[in-house]
Amino acid sequence: MEMTKTKVHNFSAGPGILPQEVVKQASEAILDFNNSGLSLIEVSHRDKDFMGVMDEARNLVKEILGLPDGYSVLFLQGGASLQFSMVPFNLLRPEGTAAYINTGVWAKKAQAEAKLLGNINVIASSEDKNHTYIPKNIVCPKEVDYLHITTNNTIYGTQYKNMPNCECMLVADMSSDMFSKPIDATKFGLIYAGAQKNMGPAGTTMVIVKNDLLGKTGRKIPSMLDYKIHIENDSMFNTPPVFAVYVSMLTLRWIKKLGLKEIERRNEEKAALLYNEIDRNSMFKGACEKEDRSLMNVTFVMNKPELEDAFSKYLKQANISGLKGHRSVGGFRASIYNAMPIESVEVLVDVMRDFEKKNG
Ligand SMILES: *Cc1c(COP(=O)(O)O)cnc(C)c1O
């Protein structure tokens, strides 16, 4: 099957860009899955072919991160947003306290759900400067049940360069920077990531959890929210989102082939190209503290905001899509996830230069 080569440069924040080869393979499996004559989306999830997909996806996560024994990988539904509730249900004792760092909208939503189930302690916040930086020198009380962080703040374009030093269990929402660089996953008790930013389509959320942390709160947990039940059922307690898991598996194969080191090198190269232009170009300025700038979501504003519409027209003419900033921040946001080719970033940089020449 021939794919028409798309000329649109996709800077969408999420659902975001996927590798072209993955999109092509996924479209083929919709028509004929593993030469079965059936579509991927019309076979039983208990079929051995789909069970193989689920196993491969979970194993690829372990291989790519080099996870030791004792960790489980799950593909669940409900988005990263349901993890905001599942984390405290499973890890926060009714009389315990969980620490949260408020680095923006997603962090705050996570915090709000935990608050429904127990005590929370917001130990640091960047709210005073509309989340344009990552709080530093964090001291986390030893006795908390866990510390929750959002490693990459998709809306504002900030990212932790160093994880907070803490003796307690670290829980991380990595929705928008999962698999963008090598990490030591064993530093975390639990990691979750909605697939649709950097590893697949919307519809599934990957969870990595250290098994021995579970079953300790004494809470009664609804089955669908209980990590142990999902682990015991190999992530197939109920019908899994077969298409989303399949496409995530294909993306994980692509990630494994490249390796996280090479992915990081590419991401750094793309981000440097774009940030250098933002800093050089007299029409634009970066929206965040330089040291906390995200490699995934590059946010910037115009020195003359009245030129935003004119710049947007330039973007449209160059087939650049998805650059509008989040409604709570304004300006522009270029999401340059793993699958974004450097050529698309070059096109954007050229448009910015051109705009300066004509309007500067
Ligand atoms: C998009 C996003 C979410 C929300 O994900 P859903 O899958 O829509 O629930 C949570 N956290 C971060 C960091 C995100 O970027």
Side-chain angles (χ1 to χ4, degrees):
M1 197 177 54
E2 273 302 302
M3 279 253 300
T4 39
K5 201 167 166 9
T6 162
K7 283 191 231 86
V8 178
H9 306 285
N10 181 7
F11 289 88
S12 168
I17 188 169
L18 290 171
Q20 275 300 299
E21 63 186 79
V22 166
V23 175
K24 184 165 184 285
Q25 288 161 4
S27 70
E28 285 164 0
I30 287 281
L31 297 173
D32 183 3
F33 174 47
N34 283 3
N35 295 316
S36 64
L38 295 168
S39 167
L40 165 69
I41 54 174
E42 56 182 20
V43 294
S44 167
H45 60 289
R46 304 280 173 202
D47 208 86
K48 78 170 180 359
D49 278 5
F50 184 76
M51 302 268 275
V53 169
M54 180 61 98
D55 280 347
E56 185 175 345
R58 296 168 70 206
N59 286 330
L60 279 166
V61 172
K62 291 186 184 173
E63 273 179 64
I64 291 166
L65 296 174
L67 278 179
D69 287 348
Y71 286 82
S72 294
V73 177
L74 300 169
F75 284 89
L76 304 177
Q77 299 186 62
S81 297
L82 190 59
Q83 295 309 308
F84 300 164
S85 301
M86 281 180 77
V87 164
F89 253 119
N90 286 270
L91 300 178
L92 175 57
R93 291 167 303 137
E95 70 288 1
T97 298
Y100 279 75
I101 299 180
N102 177 12
T103 48
V105 166
W106 298 121
K108 210 166 177 175
K109 286 190 170 172
Q111 202 176 294
E113 298 302 324
K115 216 169 176 172
L116 297 175
L117 295 179
N119 301 314
I120 63 155
N121 180 358
V122 181
I123 59 167
S125 171
S126 52
E127 199 158 18
D128 57 336
K129 292 185 183 161
N130 196 29
H131 304 298
T132 50
Y133 70 103
I134 297 287
K136 310 284 170 353
N137 304 319
I138 285 152
V139 183
C140 184
K142 264 206 293 278
E143 63 281 4
V144 296
D145 287 350
Y146 61 85
L147 166 62
H148 179 281
I149 63 169
T150 312
T151 52
N152 184 74
N153 297 280
T154 326
I155 293 175
Y156 313 88
T158 61
Q159 184 176 28
Y160 284 83
K161 298 294 145 83
N162 301 297
M163 295 304 152
N165 246 333
C166 68
E167 289 174 47
C168 68
M169 186 208 315
L170 200 52
V171 171
D173 175 357
M174 295 196 186
S175 292
S176 50
D177 67 350
M178 191 72 218
F179 298 123
S180 65
K181 59 183 178 184
I183 55 163
D184 180 359
T186 62
K187 287 216 165 114
F188 301 85
L190 189 144
I191 294 169
Y192 62 91
Q196 72 273 20
K197 305 277 165 50
N198 213 10
M199 61 177 287
T204 192
T205 304
M206 186 205 65
V207 176
I208 301 168
V209 59
K210 193 159 182 263
N211 298 329
D212 63 11
L213 301 173
L214 299 173
K216 303 226 161 120
T217 67
R219 281 183 198 281
K220 286 200 164 68
I221 308 174
S223 305
M224 275 297 282
L225 304 185
D226 190 339
Y227 293 124
K228 275 186 104 149
I229 288 192
H230 288 290
I231 293 168
E232 283 159 12
N233 288 278
D234 293 325
S235 214
M236 303 261 253
F237 172 64
N238 72 322
T239 314
V242 290
F243 181 71
V245 173
Y246 182 73
V247 182
S248 299
M249 184 277 284
L250 293 175
T251 312
L252 287 161
R253 279 184 186 165
W254 178 85
I255 291 169
K256 187 185 159 194
K257 198 171 65 186
L258 285 173
L260 290 180
K261 271 217 155 75
E262 170 62 12
I263 286 181
E264 179 183 45
R265 188 196 66 73
R266 292 183 183 190
N267 287 336
E268 282 176 348
E269 190 180 19
K270 288 181 283 177
L273 180 64
L274 189 47
Y275 283 122
N276 286 341
E277 179 59 19
I278 290 168
D279 293 339
R280 185 208 62 76
N281 194 312
S282 62
M283 311 296 291
F284 303 98
K285 63 169 184 266
C288 300
E289 290 291 332
K290 281 190 185 171
E291 59 177 354
D292 301 323
R293 284 172 162 179
S294 168
L295 292 185
M296 298 278 95
N297 311 98
V298 177
T299 52
F300 56 99
V301 295
M302 300 200 77
N303 285 319
K304 294 183 187 154
E306 65 274 19
L307 291 179
E308 275 191 12
D309 285 347
F311 182 58
S312 296
K313 280 201 190 106
Y314 262 65
L315 295 171
K316 204 160 176 224
Q317 273 163 14
N319 275 329
I320 290 174
S321 161
L323 217 74
K324 199 172 163 43
H326 189 270
R327 58 193 181 280
S328 64
V329 174
F332 296 91
R333 168 175 55 172
S335 297
I336 50 175
Y337 295 125
N338 289 344
M340 162 74 60
I342 193 157
E343 291 75 21
S344 287
V345 181
E346 285 165 353
V347 169
L348 173 58
V349 165
D350 283 347
V351 169
M352 292 166 79
R353 287 195 182 133
D354 212 33
F355 190 76
E356 183 191 34
K357 263 189 217 137
K358 307 243 166 68
N359 298 277

